[in-house]
Each structure stands twice: as structure tokens, then as C-alpha cells.
Amino acid sequence: MKLNDKVAIITGGGSGLGRQSSQLFAAEGAKVAVVDIDPERAAGTVKLVQEQGGTAIDIVADVSKKAQMVDAVARTVDEFGKLDIMFANAGVVSRGGVPSVAGGEQVAFEDLTEEDWQHVCGVNLTGVIYSAQAAVPALKANGGGVILATSSASSIVSYHSIALYQATKAGINGLIRGLSLDLGKFGIRANAIAPTHGMSPNFLAPAGTPVVGQSYEETAGLWDPVVSPIPLKLNRPPSLVDNAKAALFLVSDDSAYMSGVTMPTTDGGTLSRVGMWFEEDLNPTAAS
């Protein structure tokens, strides 16, 4: 098993990629601390891990609060004796979302408020910083380890209506490069994944929405690779597991000499284009 005897914290572990990664990491031998702001979702993930024979605990914490992340690390070390992996996965989309995907109302950039920015930055960027800061003392004490963050393809190319979100994800990429230099001497690696496809609809859904457990593409109905906008044509849709396997690679010894890297995942060739195209780009009159 790739993570035998390892201890991992996964933030945003109550749904989406965090839940899928918790299950996969545990299946590969890790003891997992599932951190989420929603206690029911965190407990739900722990139940799934335990049902498959794995070991996990749930911790309720807000990643935008440094003290809560310090406490989360302390609880994990108290329970499992050490920390090997901090997967800073928790994230939120900026207000307005991606209208053509979520069916929501577009919010003009100039109408976004100070509170909008503080919220998305607090979770997506500050939350990664606080997660990493909380983890470093435990990782040093362990003789090394891994910090992994969830960035986004939107840190590389543009999406509609989520400029604030894109700014935070681009910030993660810079943070990871800096941490790789600063922490490498302690045997600590720092990397990020930048998913394109195969992510959860829960990401754009209101708080409290039941956890879907599938990707956007899996929930969209019968899969037809011919009409899919993804250049790579396979006989199945991209899934959460595809991204979780990339995360597994970057926290395991299979990537022992990778650090400072933001790796696009579950892309299928989409990033070979100029950008992520939606209907209003291909048919401008549809947006008028």
C-alpha cells in the first residue's frame, strides 16, 4: 500500500474530492483526520472510511481560523502520534459562481463586496497558509512529510465570473513554489493539484446540500464522448477518483523528488486550448 502507516489530514474532507481522497488514502493504508466546517459531512466521511475497513477521525474546523487549524493538527497528533501529510483541499467559489455551469446569476466584478473577497480569500488562500503553518512543526518533528494543496485549472486559464476565485488559486501556486524552497531542507515537500474536470457539483451548491459523491460529468446523464467538449475521448466520464489518484501520487513516495509543482489533473487536453470555452463564447448572441 502506498500510504502504509502514514497519517494524513484532509481539509474539506466532508464532500467532493476531500471525501474521495479520504477514502482512497485510507484504502492505501493511511490513518486520516477528516477536517470540515460541517460536522455532519465530516462524520459521514469517517463512516464511509470505517465501513471500508479504514481508520479515520472527524474534526470540525474552519480553515480560515489559524487557531482552529493548530488545534486540528494537535488533535491528529494526539490521536495518531504523528503527521505525515497535510492535504489543504478546502475551497469555495466566489459569489456568482460559473453561471453557465451552476445556473446561477452572474455578479459583475465591480459589484463584488469586501466581504465576498474576504470570504473566498479566507478559505482558499489564507486557509491553505494556515493549514501549512499548523502542519510544519509536526512535519519537522516527523523528519519530513508532504503539504499538498488543491489549486485549480482556473489558476492557469480563465473561467467566467470567478476572478476572485482565480486570484486565490493562482496565489496557491506561488505559495507552493515558495514553500518548496523554504521547507525542502526539512525533508518537507510542497505541491498542488489543479483539477479541470471530474470535480463535485457540491462545490457550486448551497451549504447543506446533500453530498453527491460524483463528478459534474457523472451527474449530467448518459455519457457521450462524441459530444463532450473534452478533447480526450474515453468511454467513461471523468470522476472524483481521477483527481484523488493524482493527489495520492503527490503525497506518496512515488513522487519523492517532486516539490514546488502545480500539476494539472483530469484535464483530458482541455488546457491545450486558449481557455475554457462556454456557450456564450461559442455563441455570443446566446448571452445577449
Side-chain angles (χ1 to χ4, degrees), residues 63-64 88-95 109 112-129 149-157 161-177 192-194 203 262:
V63 298
S64 70
N89 165 72
V92 295
V93 72
S94 46
R95 188 163 64 95
F109 171 75
L112 294 166
T113 66
E114 182 178 355
E115 289 74 20
D116 289 329
W117 168 242
Q118 294 300 331
H119 177 58
V120 71
C121 184
V123 176
N124 292 1
L125 183 54
T126 305
V128 174
I129 293 170
T150 298
S151 180
S152 168
S154 72
S155 70
I156 303 168
V157 297
S161 309
I162 53 171
L164 301 188
Y165 173 84
Q166 290 185 235
T168 62
K169 293 300 185 177
I172 287 174
N173 300 352
L175 174 69
I176 288 301
R177 289 192 294 271
I193 57 172
F203 182 62
T262 296

Side-chain angles (χ1 to χ4, degrees), residues 14-26:
S15 64
L17 177 59
R19 174 170 286 188
Q20 190 68 64
S21 296
S22 296
Q23 293 179 264
L24 180 60
F25 288 15

Side-chain angles (χ1 to χ4, degrees), residues 37 44 68 93 139 196 200 258 285:
I37 198 170
Q68 293 188 28
V93 72
L139 296 176
T196 307
S200 171
M258 289 181 67
T285 58

Side-chain angles (χ1 to χ4, degrees), residues 51-70:
E51 286 175 348
Q52 69 183 34
T55 301
I57 60 172
D58 54 299
I59 299 174
V60 179
D62 180 345
V63 298
S64 70
K65 309 297 183 185
K66 185 175 181 178
Q68 293 188 28
M69 288 311 301
V70 171

Side-chain angles (χ1 to χ4, degrees), residues 8-277:
I9 291 175
I10 301 179
T11 70
S15 64
L17 177 59
R19 174 170 286 188
Q20 190 68 64
S21 296
S22 296
Q23 293 179 264
L24 180 60
F25 288 15
E28 290 290 338
K31 299 177 177 68
V32 181
V34 179
V35 175
D36 203 280
I37 198 170
D38 185 323
E40 292 186 2
R41 286 185 173 186
T45 297
V46 169
K47 182 180 179 181
L48 290 172
V49 170
Q50 292 173 341
E51 286 175 348
Q52 69 183 34
T55 301
I57 60 172
D58 54 299
I59 299 174
V60 179
D62 180 345
V63 298
S64 70
K65 309 297 183 185
K66 185 175 181 178
Q68 293 188 28
M69 288 311 301
V70 171
D71 288 345
V73 171
R75 283 191 56 192
T76 302
V77 174
D78 286 345
E79 181 73 23
F80 298 130
K82 62 172 182 170
L83 180 67
D84 299 281
I85 298 161
M86 169 59 78
F87 184 9
N89 165 72
V92 295
V93 72
S94 46
R95 188 163 64 95
V98 183
S100 58
V101 174
E105 180 182 356
Q106 186 169 340
V107 180
F109 171 75
E110 64 272 21
D111 292 332
L112 294 166
T113 66
E114 182 178 355
E115 289 74 20
D116 289 329
W117 168 242
Q118 294 300 331
H119 177 58
V120 71
C121 184
V123 176
N124 292 1
L125 183 54
T126 305
V128 174
I129 293 170
Y130 288 166
S131 297
Q133 286 183 319
V136 164
L139 296 176
K140 286 182 177 179
N142 191 47
V146 182
I147 296 168
L148 179 67
T150 298
S151 180
S152 168
S154 72
S155 70
I156 303 168
V157 297
S158 292
Y159 285 60
H160 280 292
S161 309
I162 53 171
L164 301 188
Y165 173 84
Q166 290 185 235
T168 62
K169 293 300 185 177
I172 287 174
N173 300 352
L175 174 69
I176 288 301
R177 289 192 294 271
L179 292 182
S180 70
L181 288 178
D182 294 342
L183 301 178
K185 60 189 174 185
F186 304 109
I188 299 172
R189 299 188 291 119
N191 291 301
I193 57 172
T196 307
H197 308 289
M199 293 298 278
S200 171
N202 282 113
F203 182 62
L204 295 177
T209 301
V211 177
V212 174
Q214 292 183 308
S215 69
Y216 296 108
E217 294 84 359
E218 288 173 317
T219 61
L222 185 65
W223 174 252
D224 185 350
V226 175
V227 300
S228 166
I230 303 173
L232 179 63
K233 304 302 180 184
L234 299 180
N235 62 1
R236 65 165 180 87
S239 71
L240 294 167
V241 177
D242 292 309
N243 286 301
K245 285 182 177 179
L248 173 64
F249 169 72
L250 286 175
V251 301
S252 75
D253 289 340
D254 286 347
S255 60
Y257 254 95
M258 289 181 67
S259 193
V261 173
T262 296
M263 185 172 76
T265 59
T266 317
D267 173 65
T270 296
L271 291 181
S272 66
R273 297 167 169 165
V274 174
M276 175 69 84
W277 294 101

